[in-house]
Amino acid sequence: MKKITAALVLGVLLSACLGTKPRASLPAPEAASATTAAPELLKLYDASRSREVPVALYRPATRKKPVGLALLSHGYGGQYTDYSFIAQALAAEGYLVASVQHELPGDAPLATTGTVYQARMPSWQRGVQNLLFVRQQLQGWEPALQKAPLLLVGHSHGGDISMLLAQQQPALVDKVISLDNRRVPFPRASRPRVLGLRSSDQQADPGVLPTPAEQQQHGTIVVTLAGQLHNDMYDGASAAQKAEMLRHIQAFVK
């Protein structure tokens, strides 16, 4: 893990405890590894909700200023460090990437019975609040991010969180990449732009995916990946599967 200066750690802890924006700046990008190897692991604290929000931060490898901010959300039961191949690829494209841990020990389990959409909404809303909190904190450290385009990336449950934020605040989000989210519908609009990568073994709920006509109308891209399993759309995928996912992701963000 890349070492964080004592001043930055102190700034993060003080600002988080006080519920205010950090005054410390992010370390200069030139100090980061040119290969974007390991993330900086931060434990932010949202005083307004009395909730810890762990973040893995991947910074652009070769740019002084990021081309945008990417917020990455893991699938249910996963960890914020489980998607490094995507985070590193986005950092190589010039994004500052924050991979956010949504579930913590002690959280209620995700509903699997009843009206699932309604039962899971509190968990999705909590995830949206996590993303907005992390964005606010990063903007406090680096004011240039206040005008940076926002990219949301999420797998499964994390994709539902990303889609919900895109629905609620479309003017805030520039692009969304869904790795097989199944519950929250894609926006039916030209903004934000959406890329949906679909597995070959899971189906989305009715109405989640736009029709071919809607895809053409709004510029939405939906790709089914042959042989790609829903539960393998993370660092555990094969090299060939990762390469295929990255090919679509990199073409979409350019």
Side-chain angles (χ1 to χ4, degrees):
M1 184 193 308
K2 181 180 176 293
K3 292 183 179 179
I4 307 173
T5 64
L8 175 60
V9 173
L10 180 60
V12 171
L13 292 176
L14 286 176
S15 61
C17 291
L18 294 173
T20 59
K21 292 183 180 180
R23 295 183 180 181
S25 298
L26 288 169
E30 291 84 355
S33 167
T35 59
T36 321
E40 299 163 20
L41 302 183
L42 309 176
K43 288 188 177 180
L44 306 184
Y45 185 76
D46 186 351
S48 68
R49 296 183 294 150
S50 300
R51 185 173 181 86
E52 187 177 274
V53 185
V55 173
L57 192 67
Y58 302 76
R59 64 180 66 256
T62 59
R63 298 175 186 264
K64 292 184 178 180
K65 292 185 179 180
V67 300
L69 173 62
L71 299 179
L72 177 57
S73 297
H74 59 85
Y76 185 69
Q79 297 292 316
Y80 65 131
T81 53
D82 286 346
Y83 298 81
S84 62
F85 82 102
I86 294 176
Q88 291 173 1
L90 292 175
E93 296 292 337
Y95 283 89
L96 177 65
V97 184
S99 186
V100 180
Q101 180 67 37
H102 289 292
E103 279 73 53
L104 301 177
D107 287 346
L110 199 64
T112 57
T113 59
T115 306
V116 173
Y117 188 92
Q118 294 177 356
R120 293 188 179 183
M121 183 58 68
S123 181
W124 295 333
Q125 291 284 17
R126 183 181 64 207
V128 167
Q129 291 175 333
N130 288 340
L131 295 180
L132 292 175
F133 167 73
V134 170
R135 175 177 178 268
Q136 181 187 47
Q137 294 295 291
L138 294 177
Q139 287 178 336
W141 293 341
E142 187 56 68
L145 290 173
Q146 293 178 6
K147 296 183 179 180
L150 179 60
L151 167 66
L152 303 178
V153 185
H155 174 214
S156 191
H157 180 64
D160 287 324
I161 291 171
S162 301
M163 286 300 183
L164 185 61
L165 176 53
Q167 281 186 11
Q168 293 177 345
Q169 300 202 40
L172 190 69
V173 182
D174 182 50
K175 296 183 179 74
V176 185
I177 299 174
S178 163
L179 304 178
D180 221 29
N181 82 294
R182 300 175 56 204
R183 311 294 182 183
V184 178
F186 283 42
R188 266 59 169 183
S190 299
R191 182 184 173 94
R193 291 187 58 213
V194 179
L195 167 66
L197 299 182
R198 312 303 303 176
S199 72
S200 60
D201 67 324
Q202 295 287 344
Q203 297 294 321
D205 286 354
V208 169
L209 301 180
T211 65
E214 289 172 331
Q215 294 175 37
Q216 184 174 15
Q217 178 183 358
H218 301 302
T220 302
I221 302 171
V222 180
V223 181
T224 299
L225 305 175
Q228 176 66 66
L229 302 182
H230 176 87
N231 288 338
D232 291 340
M233 302 178 84
Y234 75 115
D235 284 350
S238 69
Q241 289 172 328
K242 291 177 185 176
E244 184 177 16
M245 285 186 278
L246 290 182
R247 179 170 62 85
H248 294 288
I249 289 171
Q250 290 167 327
F252 180 69
V253 301
K254 287 187 183 296

